[in-house]
Amino acid sequence: MKPLHEKEIEEARAKLAEAGRDPDLFSFDVKFMEPDPDGGGMFTVRYEITVTGPGQGASAEYIGGIGLDWLAAFGDDLGEGVFG
């Protein structure tokens, strides 16, 4: 079973293809965040995803994890031309 962040990146690549963009020209850098020490004993994996597009190297950062929907924000940014 693939980890959540890998599944989400596959979905982001599909969004790029649907938008007529070449997913291979985009990079997805994932950095896992430290657990919240005040989380009340709950450990939830969170990660920062930096998506960098081609050309001028436009990029945007998103926070992912269980219950977070960075893909919606990515889709909005893609539609608004953030990545050229």
Side-chain angles (χ1 to χ4, degrees), residues 21-44:
R21 307 295 296 268
D22 183 350
D24 292 333
L25 298 178
F26 287 75
S27 66
F28 296 84
D29 181 41
V30 178
K31 293 181 183 163
F32 289 89
M33 302 168 74
E34 293 292 325
D36 182 1
D38 297 323
M42 298 286 294
F43 177 73
T44 302

